[in-house]
Amino acid sequence: MDYLQGLNPEQRAAVEQTEGPVMIIAGAGSGKTRVITYRVAHLVRKGVDSFNILVLTFTNKAAREMRERITHVVGTEAKNIWMGTFHSVFAKILRVEADKIGYPSNFTIYDTDDSKSVLRAILKEMNLDDKLYNVNFVLNRISASKNNLISWQEYQKNEQIQADDFSSGRGQLGLIYQTYATRCFRAGAMDFDDLLYKTNELLKLHPDTLNKYQHKFKYLMVDEYQDTNFSQYLIVKKLAAVNENLCVVGDDAQSIYAFRGANIQNILNFEKDYPDLKVFKLEQNYRSTQNIVNVANSIISNNKDQLKKNVFSEKESGDKIKVMRAFSDNEEGKMVAETIMQDRSLKGRKWHDFAILYRTNAQSRSMEEALRKLSIPYKIYGGLSFYQRKEIKDLIAYFRLTFNPNDEEALKRVINYPKRGIGDTSVDKIIVSADQHGITPWEVIAEPGKYLEGKISGAVATFATMIQSFQVLAKSKSAYESALYIAQHSGLLKDLYEDKSVEGLNRYENIQELLNGIKEFSEREDIEEKGLDVFMQDVALLTNDDKDKDKDADTVSLMTIHSSKGLEFPQVYVVGLEENLFPSQMSLNSRSDLEEERRLFYVAVTRAETKLTISYATSRFKFGTLISCEPSRFLDEIDAKYLELDYSAKPASSGSSAFFDDDRKAWSSGKQADAFSKPKPATSAPVKTTSILAKAHVPSPDFKPSDTSNLQVGMEVEHERFGFGKVLSLEGNKPDIKATIFFKEIGQKQLLLKFAKLHIINNIN
């Protein structure tokens, strides 16, 4: 059992405890993935049939990584393990059992855009105000209901829900939910929430099916258990009820998805469901330096709802956590960009070693502008996914229609693209006819002579024949051969090729990239079925974490903290640590919401491996107005001895310090300038609570960066933030000369001259 040798004692104990209910509390950077994969491999090595093991994850990426690692230990047996996201595993089960709940096995999976399109059509038909019934609000309301296993019938009968809806002026939400569910069922489609909702329905209404899977999955493991919602919790509990060989892995300190329905109580109360539970705590952090781990611990210790653990690191202490303060959000971006540029040059970093994390997407603007000015390459994650681009969705709609012609959303998307004489009026006639005869729009299209009149009948007949030819071809050809044929014979490829604009060329290249991906899929040796329908199932179940993450690109990463979960970077900047921004203003109404914000800060801090920088601004533009900003309460929760402000006096040797009091006073009085006044002469009396931020240097009125090409040792200089200093030494060759300068207020610093912006005061005396 050589694979167990590299585990620490607690990791090994967790791996070897294979029987009964187990909970593994895995602190940030504690080797969680290794423990999960080795535990599964250990089961197989012990003789457990790999077909009887179920491993549930939250991203396909995590499942792929685990399967690859397990393969290294147990070989091809790893292919037989049921492993994947909740949605992909239960979609697989639903395709086998779909007829039991009235669905075709080739049901379509609607993404968010499809769901919104259905809802917009419903709102239009019901003549409802789309501002009052905002489509995002309506979809979230339906999603929350499904995640709590509330059917549209129960929704309409629930007095409290109905009272809430009517008091908000949205009394038709129950009817919208009913119409949406009916419309999806008629189209043979499930949305993402349905994949879990319908699985619960299947297991509840069909005890024989539940019994089948309870005995099939003798061993269950769930990753990121703190992120499960009520629907997921119930499925897991039902499947594990017979054998109770259930192992859940997670970290309550990283539960940050309440807005998606995740319920932290699932992990906090796990022991109540399984009194004979065995708990293992993985507390050694292998990712971050001691100082970063200590800061994370000091932050999360302020939460009341938590499973106590003592995370530690045996790495070097590392740099103290730097806190930067800026006059404005634009200056904050400038400071971050400049320090990235300097650290890359001085420390030999790559651009992809740096990440900038923020609470809201809107904060990326000032960061982007600053990075562009210094020609620093960057990429924003969480933007438009490759699979959300119009041309990609258009071709995939043809694929969807090929396998499920009742897919109304796919039909409406491509029936007249490229243009073939079937405009909106014609589509309306098709839908009206389908409603009148109680059939689907495709049944009307398949026999247009029976249901439609005039010119429209011929155009629709040609379209139907084309789709039917796609269906015949797809049954016998590979995914790539089918996809290429559909792209060509639908007219889509030709339409894009003829658009010679820059945008048109990009769209054509995107289609080629999709076809390349399908060809790669068709040539994979690790899967037996290589039809286009199988590829489509994979695409439909991609999560945000699986899309557009090019790890090889040498760019600075910009993303929200939510998007950063599961990632790690050598150097991390957490920006915008201000009240009402982080913590968010929306989180200040309850302790549970505030504690979730604190967990989010904990996640941000623990993404850093060697260096962490935190920044905030004392003013920020919001809705076109410059507002004053107060430093975040989270900054006060960090033990002062782990912090460093590189332009001020050092903090007290231990204990928390009110570093940010002066900024708060300035914020409350509306006088930011006071917080930036020059420090007063030191007195003999000890000062325990004076903000060290109050000692920031204010540049001289005539400050202007000088030409430093002839800078010499002994010259006196001024830096716009570090103040006045003297050049001690120069090293290196142009253009990468480094200057070591002793500054009166902060001590010795080493700066790269091409970025330093120094004002030379006088020559050598």
Side-chain angles (χ1 to χ4, degrees):
M1 304 222 177
D2 295 340
Y3 59 94
L4 298 178
Q5 300 305 313
L7 301 174
N8 68 37
E10 194 71 6
Q11 289 175 330
R12 180 160 184 160
V15 166
E16 293 181 324
Q17 181 60 52
T18 57
E19 306 304 306
V22 173
M23 179 164 66
I24 302 173
I25 305 300
S30 62
K32 177 195 69 171
T33 303
R34 170 184 281 196
V35 171
I36 296 173
T37 53
Y38 282 9
R39 193 174 188 276
V40 175
H42 193 61
L43 284 168
V44 176
R45 282 286 188 91
K46 281 180 61 179
V48 174
D49 189 336
S50 54
F51 284 98
N52 296 142
I53 301 172
L54 171 62
V55 183
L56 296 169
T57 68
F58 274 82
T59 67
N60 292 306
K61 175 185 166 189
R64 281 195 302 270
E65 183 181 345
M66 289 179 192
R67 194 183 296 276
E68 287 171 6
R69 292 194 189 188
I70 295 169
T71 302
H72 285 308
V73 180
V74 302
T76 56
E77 276 296 308
K79 292 182 179 180
N80 304 326
I81 298 166
W82 280 61
M83 180 180 291
T85 64
F86 276 88
H87 294 91
S88 66
V89 167
F90 297 122
K92 186 177 178 181
I93 289 174
L94 285 171
R95 291 199 185 279
V96 175
E97 314 290 349
D99 61 307
K100 292 185 174 65
I101 53 173
Y103 274 83
S105 60
N106 63 342
F107 61 83
T108 295
I109 299 173
Y110 277 175
D111 65 14
T112 302
D113 283 349
D114 296 321
S115 296
K116 288 180 180 178
S117 179
V118 175
L119 287 171
R120 286 191 189 98
I122 292 170
L123 294 173
K124 185 177 180 181
E125 292 166 15
M126 294 176 66
N127 292 314
L128 295 173
D129 182 353
D130 59 5
K131 290 187 175 64
L132 181 61
Y133 289 91
N134 177 276
V135 70
N136 290 319
F137 174 85
V138 175
L139 183 58
N140 288 336
R141 188 77 167 171
I142 293 172
S143 175
S145 300
K146 290 181 180 179
N147 285 332
N148 285 288
L149 303 183
I150 299 171
S151 66
W152 64 262
Q153 294 94 334
E154 291 168 318
Y155 188 101
Q156 293 179 359
K157 291 176 184 176
N158 188 296
E159 293 181 3
Q160 182 61 54
I161 292 176
Q162 291 302 302
D164 288 345
D165 286 353
F166 277 96
S167 66
S168 69
R170 300 185 181 95
Q172 298 299 307
L173 280 170
L175 183 56
I176 296 170
Y177 183 6
Q178 176 184 352
T179 309
Y180 174 76
T182 304
R183 196 73 55 89
C184 289
F185 183 76
R186 184 181 75 181
M190 295 188 196
D191 61 23
F192 250 47
D193 297 314
D194 280 327
L195 296 176
L196 302 179
Y197 180 85
K198 297 296 180 183
T199 298
N200 270 296
E201 183 180 295
L202 173 70
L203 299 180
K204 180 180 180 180
L205 299 179
H206 299 276
D208 56 329
T209 303
L210 172 60
N211 184 63
K212 169 184 170 182
Y213 288 103
Q214 284 175 331
H215 287 84
K216 177 177 179 59
F217 300 131
K218 296 178 181 177
Y219 292 85
L220 277 75
M221 287 193 70
V222 184
D223 188 20
E224 304 285 11
Y225 190 68
Q226 77 280 351
D227 292 334
T228 53
N229 59 30
F230 178 65
S231 183
Q232 291 162 327
Y233 160 81
L234 214 57
I235 293 171
V236 170
K237 191 175 181 185
K238 285 179 180 177
L239 290 178
V242 171
N243 297 294
E244 287 202 347
N245 292 323
L246 170 62
C247 174
V248 301
V249 186
D251 181 8
D252 58 295
Q254 297 185 67
S255 178
I256 59 173
Y257 293 119
F259 68 95
R260 291 185 191 169
N263 186 355
I264 191 174
Q265 297 304 319
N266 290 348
I267 194 167
L268 294 179
N269 297 329
F270 191 67
E271 193 167 3
K272 292 181 180 178
D273 289 335
Y274 303 94
D276 56 342
L277 177 72
K278 289 185 172 60
V279 179
F280 300 90
K281 294 183 179 181
L282 308 183
E283 296 175 308
Q284 183 170 353
N285 182 307
Y286 293 93
R287 175 189 302 155
S288 307
T289 62
Q290 290 181 40
N291 275 330
I292 292 171
V293 170
N294 290 337
V295 164
N297 287 341
S298 69
I299 292 164
I300 206 64
S301 66
N302 291 276
N303 271 8
K304 291 187 176 180
D305 288 339
Q306 62 172 299
L307 299 168
K308 292 292 185 182
K309 56 185 175 298
N310 180 35
V311 180
F312 66 94
S313 172
E314 292 187 350
K315 287 192 167 188
E316 69 278 7
S317 296
D319 294 339
K320 288 191 175 185
I321 282 58
K322 190 175 293 185
V323 178
M324 300 194 304
R325 177 186 56 184
F327 290 98
S328 66
D329 46 354
N330 285 335
E331 194 201 26
E332 181 184 37
K334 178 185 174 188
M335 291 166 67
V336 169
E338 286 179 350
T339 54
I340 287 175
M341 183 73 89
Q342 283 197 2
D343 278 3
R344 179 177 180 269
S345 298
L346 293 171
K347 298 184 179 181
R349 294 279 192 203
K350 299 287 187 182
W351 293 123
H352 62 236
D353 291 334
F354 299 89
I356 303 173
L357 310 183
Y358 34 77
R359 180 64 182 83
T360 66
N361 278 307
Q363 290 171 258
S364 72
R365 179 200 58 80
S366 58
M367 297 296 143
E368 286 188 78
E369 288 181 4
L371 293 171
R372 279 200 299 266
K373 285 178 181 176
L374 293 181
S375 300
I376 296 175
Y378 68 89
K379 181 170 183 179
I380 295 181
Y381 291 97
L384 187 65
S385 159
F386 177 79
Y387 288 98
Q388 294 300 315
R389 294 183 170 99
K390 178 186 179 302
E391 61 276 12
I392 300 299
K393 287 180 73 72
D394 288 340
L395 182 52
I396 285 179
Y398 274 110
F399 298 165
R400 282 167 44 176
L401 209 54
T402 298
F403 297 104
N404 178 14
N406 289 327
D407 184 342
E408 196 170 318
E409 287 309 300
L411 177 67
K412 288 191 291 187
R413 188 174 190 100
V414 299
I415 192 169
N416 199 41
Y417 177 70
K419 291 187 182 301
R420 50 177 63 92
I422 311 175
D424 291 345
T425 302
S426 299
V427 172
D428 289 342
K429 288 179 180 177
I430 292 169
I431 292 173
V432 168
S433 181
D435 289 340
Q436 287 174 343
H437 293 88
I439 58 178
T440 66
W442 173 254
E443 289 174 284
V444 173
I445 291 169
E447 295 185 87
K450 185 176 178 180
Y451 299 105
L452 301 171
E453 299 176 354
K455 292 181 181 179
I456 180 180
S457 178
V460 168
T462 301
F463 176 75
T465 301
M466 178 183 71
I467 298 299
Q468 288 162 347
S469 72
F470 296 166
Q471 293 170 336
V472 172
L473 185 86
K475 290 177 181 177
S476 58
K477 298 295 184 181
S478 71
Y480 176 69
E481 291 171 314
S482 302
L484 182 60
Y485 183 89
I486 293 171
Q488 291 172 335
H489 290 79
S490 64
L492 185 146
L493 208 58
K494 180 174 180 288
D495 187 72
L496 292 176
Y497 180 77
E498 290 176 348
D499 182 352
K500 300 301 182 182
S501 67
V502 174
E503 294 79 9
L505 181 61
N506 286 336
R507 287 193 285 267
Y508 182 78
E509 288 175 346
N510 285 337
I511 290 293
Q512 293 296 338
E513 183 59 32
L514 175 62
L515 293 173
N516 291 340
I518 297 174
K519 185 169 180 60
E520 187 177 317
F521 169 85
S522 299
E523 294 173 351
R524 280 173 55 180
E525 296 180 358
D526 61 326
I527 54 173
E528 294 180 9
E529 296 183 24
K530 299 177 181 178
L532 186 57
D533 56 335
V534 179
F535 175 82
M536 287 298 298
Q537 291 174 31
D538 282 353
V539 168
L541 292 163
L542 285 173
T543 67
N544 287 336
D545 303 271
D546 302 308
K547 300 170 183 172
D548 284 347
K549 295 280 179 87
D550 183 3
K551 291 193 73 176
D552 295 327
D554 191 21
T555 56
V556 174
S557 299
L558 275 68
M559 66 188 80
T560 63
I561 301 168
H562 281 102
S563 298
S564 74
K565 189 167 180 291
L567 302 177
E568 56 189 45
F569 302 89
Q571 293 195 205
V572 169
Y573 293 79
V574 185
V575 301
L577 261 291
E578 299 139 33
E579 284 293 296
N580 299 322
L581 180 56
F582 197 13
S584 162
Q585 189 171 12
M586 300 292 290
S587 71
L588 303 180
N589 298 321
S590 70
R591 175 173 295 281
S592 61
D593 289 344
L594 182 60
E595 292 203 349
E596 172 127 343
E597 286 288 291
R598 190 176 284 114
R599 292 193 294 270
L600 190 59
F601 188 29
Y602 176 87
V603 167
V605 166
T606 54
R607 297 312 93 201
E609 296 173 359
T610 61
K611 187 172 182 179
L612 171 67
T613 302
I614 299 171
S615 66
Y616 72 98
T618 59
S619 65
R620 186 177 294 273
F621 274 98
K622 190 173 184 180
F623 304 118
T625 303
L626 188 66
I627 61 168
S628 303
C629 302
E630 178 186 3
S632 169
R633 68 188 68 190
F634 294 155
L635 292 171
D636 280 330
E637 295 175 354
I638 303 174
D639 195 320
K641 65 186 177 184
Y642 304 126
L643 298 181
E644 172 198 333
L645 290 96
D646 62 4
Y647 47 87
S648 61
K650 291 185 178 180
S653 59
S654 64
S656 182
S657 173
F659 288 177
F660 312 99
D661 283 353
D662 285 0
D663 281 352
R664 289 206 172 83
K665 290 172 185 173
W667 176 80
S668 61
S669 67
K671 298 177 182 178
Q672 285 79 16
D674 291 349
F676 287 85
S677 60
K678 288 187 179 181
K680 296 178 181 179
T683 65
S684 57
V687 181
K688 294 183 179 179
T689 59
T690 300
S691 168
I692 62 173
L693 286 174
K695 293 190 174 183
H697 175 73
V698 176
S700 303
D702 61 346
F703 179 88
K704 184 179 180 182
S706 304
D707 177 5
T708 57
S709 59
N710 294 315
L711 190 71
Q712 297 179 43
V713 173
M715 283 185 174
E716 292 183 356
V717 296
E718 180 185 8
H719 186 278
E720 60 183 340
R721 292 209 309 276
F722 302 151
F724 299 98
K726 191 170 186 177
V727 180
L728 300 181
S729 67
L730 298 167
E731 59 181 272
N733 299 312
K734 292 181 180 180
D736 297 318
I737 296 176
K738 301 172 189 175
T740 300
I741 304 172
F742 182 83
F743 292 99
K744 295 177 183 177
E745 293 179 358
I746 67 161
Q748 190 168 301
K749 298 288 286 183
Q750 189 178 57
L751 304 175
L752 199 63
L753 285 187
K754 62 183 178 183
F755 304 122
K757 294 185 179 178
L758 298 171
H759 173 65
I760 299 174
I761 299 171
N762 55 38
N763 291 325
I764 306 170
N765 291 329

